[in-house]
């Protein structure tokens, strides 16, 4: 037997074993990446709550058990904040219903026309009272978005009338009537909707709800003027960032692919603005306007669009001034009605450093509860067993559960107690 033949007989039996080892290594690597990307090893847990030990909050935790129970997302993908966010962004919700509403048009002083959709309750509220939810959607959103339709349908069945603001310029089939569209913190349209509801339903009480950018707007609205809190039972804000000025630096970071999300949001804003180009910039050619439009076309971040276009709608001299004036962080401490702030720890759009704001607020103010879930992404909060999510999310249920608890509290609370009074206040009155 030759040396060559001997070598062949010596090494050929080992080749299949070597290839099997390589296959196992590849499979192990893929599984490791999948486990890491889907965050499969992460445990489920109840929301982390920050609140003061007050009668109101003790009643809340007893009456709204969702705040103390585990939030369990779909097993295979629900622990990934990116997939939760992507599913919300692409589909909104699964099997979304089609609640019937009436569109209202409100002329504004500057010539703009605010619109909102009004949905009457389909059942009686458990307290027997007339309660209206005034709802502000996320950036560039409106009443026709699937996540809004799903929430409204659920709230209607629980006995709530719902009024949903359509952000100025967000509806594709509604033309602007003035050279202005929605911005990060402008409360004018929301205030007009709330004013209409108060006039049209003088006996109704209000539940204020804001999603993402809408959370910033509703908290700013309530904190701008004490009269804005009249007839308001409570407020719920979900997945907002609280301070645009602090958030802008984090949106330029690649951590959690935040820079990529920034690009996607900028692209969507660009499409909305350009769809109203004639109303916003007129049909005439102007060097300044042409330059702004040119910069808009090349913008790759929300900050560039805000600096080029958005801040100028309200005459802000700089991006810093725009973000400072339009962020609720400077107003939210004035809110004295019960306030639930909900965020998710794996939200790829809201950096963890921003969550110090609601945590500090809830530590100092007795009317505030801050709920931080481990999972949920940005406005996802899907629930489900293994793969397929349920039509109704944890977010939908916890908002209505909190609202129900606050309505019940208002109905049966002792005369000496209000949302912002302490036990010592009651003791003093009894004395």
């Amino acid at each position: 037997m030759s040396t060559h033949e001997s070598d062949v007989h010596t090494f050929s039996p080992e080749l299949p074993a070597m290839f099997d080892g390589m296959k196992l290594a590849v499979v192990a690597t893929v599984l490791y990446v999948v486990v890491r990307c889907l965050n499969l090893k992460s445990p489920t847990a109840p929301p982390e709550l920050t609140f003061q030990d007050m009668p109101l909050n003790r009643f809340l935790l007893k009456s709204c058990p969702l705040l103390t129970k585990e939030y369990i997302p779909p097993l295979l993908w629900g622990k990934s904040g990116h997939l939760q966010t992507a599913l919300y962004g692409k589909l909104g919700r699964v099997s979304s219903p089609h609640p019937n509403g009436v569109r209202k048009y409100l002329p504004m002083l500057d010539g703009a026309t605010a619109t909102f959709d009004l949905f009457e309750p389909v059942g009686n509220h458990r307290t027997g009272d007339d309660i209206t939810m005034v709802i502000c959607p996320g950036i560039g959103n409106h009443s026709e978005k699937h996540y809004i339709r799903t929430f409204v349908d659920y709230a209607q069945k629980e006995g709530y009338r719902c009024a949903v603001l359509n952000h100025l310029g967000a509806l594709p089939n509604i033309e602007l009537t003035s050279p202005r569209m929605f911005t990060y913190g402008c409360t004018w349209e929301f205030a007009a909707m709330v004013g209409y509801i108060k006039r049209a339903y003088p006996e109704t009480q209000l539940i204020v709800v804001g999603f993402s950018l809408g959370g910033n707007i509703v908290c700013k609205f309530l904190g701008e003027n004490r009269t804005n809190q009249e007839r308001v039972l409570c407020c719920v804000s979900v997945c907002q960032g609280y301070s645009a000025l602090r958030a802008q630096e984090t949106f330029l970071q690649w951590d959690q692919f935040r820079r990529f999300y920034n690009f996607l949001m900028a692209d969507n804003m660009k499409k909305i603005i350009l769809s109203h180009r004639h109303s916003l910039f007129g049909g005439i050619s102007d060097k300044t306007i042409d330059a702004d439009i040119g910069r808009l076309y090349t913008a790759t971040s929300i900050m560039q669009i805000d600096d080029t276009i958005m801040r100028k709608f309200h005459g802000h001299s700089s991006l810093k001034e725009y973000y400072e004036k339009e962020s609720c962080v400077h107003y939210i401490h004035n809110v004295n009605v019960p306030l639930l702030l909900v965020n998710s720890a794996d939200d790829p759009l809201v950096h963890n450093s921003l969550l110090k704001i609601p945590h500090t607020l809830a530590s100092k103010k007795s009317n505030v509860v801050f709920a931080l879930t481990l999972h949920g992404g940005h406005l996802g909060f899907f629930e489900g067993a293994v793969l397929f999510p349920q039509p109704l999310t944890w977010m939908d249920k916890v908002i209505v559960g909190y609202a129900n608890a606050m309505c019940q509290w208002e109905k049966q609370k002792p005369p000496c107690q209000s949302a912002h009074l302490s036990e010592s206040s009651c003791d003093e009155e009894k004395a």
Side-chain angles (χ1 to χ4, degrees):
M1 183 181 292
S2 66
T3 303
H4 176 69
E5 290 175 338
S6 176
D7 289 343
V8 170
H9 285 294
T10 302
F11 291 106
S12 60
E14 296 179 2
L15 289 177
M18 181 178 72
F19 285 126
D20 287 343
M22 290 176 62
K23 290 178 183 177
L24 287 173
V26 170
V27 170
T29 301
V30 170
L31 287 175
Y32 175 78
V33 171
V34 168
V35 169
R36 287 297 301 270
C37 290
L38 297 183
N39 207 17
L40 294 178
K41 294 183 69 177
S42 176
T44 58
E48 179 185 319
L49 300 178
T50 305
F51 62 95
Q52 292 188 16
D53 185 19
M54 309 297 288
L56 169 65
N57 294 330
R58 290 198 293 269
F59 178 84
L60 168 64
L61 298 185
K62 289 180 181 178
S63 305
C64 186
L66 279 174
L67 287 173
T68 55
K69 290 183 178 179
E70 280 184 314
Y71 160 54
I72 303 177
L75 179 63
L76 291 183
W77 55 269
K79 294 179 181 179
S80 167
H82 296 293
L83 289 180
Q84 288 254 19
T85 303
L87 188 58
Y88 146 73
K90 191 66 177 176
L91 296 179
R93 293 292 180 260
V94 295
S95 303
S96 179
H98 294 269
N100 294 318
V102 178
R103 183 152 296 164
K104 302 290 185 178
Y105 297 81
L106 303 176
M108 307 292 290
L109 293 177
D110 66 344
T113 303
T115 69
F116 71 94
D117 285 24
L118 187 62
F119 304 86
E120 292 296 335
V122 295
N124 294 325
H125 192 269
R126 62 182 60 196
T127 63
D129 293 334
D130 185 303
I131 313 290
T132 302
M133 285 191 172
V134 283
I135 302 165
C136 193
I139 183 171
N141 290 174
H142 44 74
S143 60
E144 297 175 8
K145 291 294 183 178
H146 288 190
Y147 78 98
I148 294 293
R149 285 173 16 200
T150 299
F151 175 71
V152 166
D153 181 74
Y154 179 52
Q156 281 182 295
K157 293 174 181 176
E158 290 289 313
Y160 293 97
R161 179 186 299 108
C162 294
V164 183
L165 181 69
N166 299 310
H167 284 301
L168 202 60
L171 281 169
N173 58 336
I174 301 293
E175 291 292 331
L176 294 176
T177 57
S178 75
R180 179 175 69 84
M181 58 181 288
F182 78 92
T183 59
Y184 177 68
C186 179
T187 60
W188 297 353
E189 293 80 52
F190 188 76
M193 180 180 76
V194 171
Y196 176 94
I197 294 297
K198 286 182 175 181
R199 292 189 302 272
Y201 305 94
E203 299 301 319
T204 196
Q205 293 178 296
L206 305 180
I207 307 288
V208 179
V209 180
F211 299 100
S212 191
L213 171 141
N216 177 74
I217 289 176
V218 301
C219 289
K220 182 172 177 282
F221 166 75
L222 292 176
E224 283 176 334
N225 195 315
R226 287 182 66 94
T227 60
N228 292 343
Q229 299 178 48
E230 293 175 357
R231 292 168 57 185
V232 173
L233 292 179
C234 65
C235 174
V236 183
S237 162
V238 184
C239 287
Q240 70 150 308
Y242 305 97
S243 172
L245 190 62
R246 300 187 200 179
Q248 66 168 333
E249 296 178 3
T250 70
F251 266 111
L252 295 174
Q253 301 167 359
W254 280 100
D255 174 50
Q256 292 293 312
F257 300 101
R258 204 168 288 108
R259 183 64 181 86
F260 177 67
Y261 288 106
N262 187 1
F263 173 79
L264 294 180
M265 289 191 296
D267 188 59
N268 186 55
M269 279 298 299
K270 194 184 304 184
K271 291 175 182 176
I272 295 175
I273 294 170
L274 291 174
S275 71
H276 296 288
R277 176 174 177 171
H278 182 78
S279 300
L280 293 173
F281 308 112
I284 60 173
S285 179
D286 177 270
K287 287 185 178 180
T288 303
I289 293 176
D290 291 344
D292 285 345
I293 294 175
R295 284 191 287 270
L296 175 64
Y297 273 111
T298 59
T300 60
S301 73
I302 283 289
M303 289 77 74
Q304 290 173 320
I305 294 176
D306 286 344
D307 194 25
T308 302
I309 305 294
M310 308 303 285
R311 69 173 175 84
K312 298 176 182 178
F313 290 141
H314 294 283
H316 296 296
S317 60
S318 66
L319 186 63
K320 180 181 179 182
E321 180 187 283
Y322 169 67
Y323 284 160
E324 283 183 337
K325 294 289 180 65
E326 302 230 340
S327 294
C328 77
V329 67
H330 304 297
Y331 303 88
I332 197 169
H333 60 277
N334 296 324
V335 179
N336 293 318
V337 299
L339 175 61
L340 175 65
L341 304 173
V342 179
N343 286 95
S344 171
D346 66 355
D347 186 336
L349 303 185
V350 180
H351 193 271
N352 285 338
S353 62
L354 299 172
L355 302 181
K356 294 178 182 177
I357 297 171
H359 183 272
T360 301
L361 187 72
S363 300
K364 293 181 177 179
K365 288 183 67 77
S366 61
N367 62 302
V368 181
V369 174
F370 174 46
L372 180 65
T373 61
L374 200 58
H375 309 110
H378 190 78
L379 295 182
F381 298 102
F382 292 96
E383 291 184 306
V386 179
L387 180 61
F388 298 104
Q390 298 171 3
L392 208 60
T393 69
W394 180 87
M395 177 183 79
D396 302 318
K397 290 185 280 190
V398 82
I399 295 173
V400 171
Y402 177 80
N404 287 340
M406 292 301 99
C407 292
Q408 196 63 42
W409 167 262
E410 188 68 20
K411 198 82 171 174
Q412 67 182 49
K413 70 183 180 184
C416 67
Q417 291 180 354
S418 67
H420 56 279
L421 292 181
S422 64
E423 282 186 359
S424 59
S425 301
C426 290
D427 293 338
E428 289 173 6
E429 185 166 316
K430 290 175 183 176

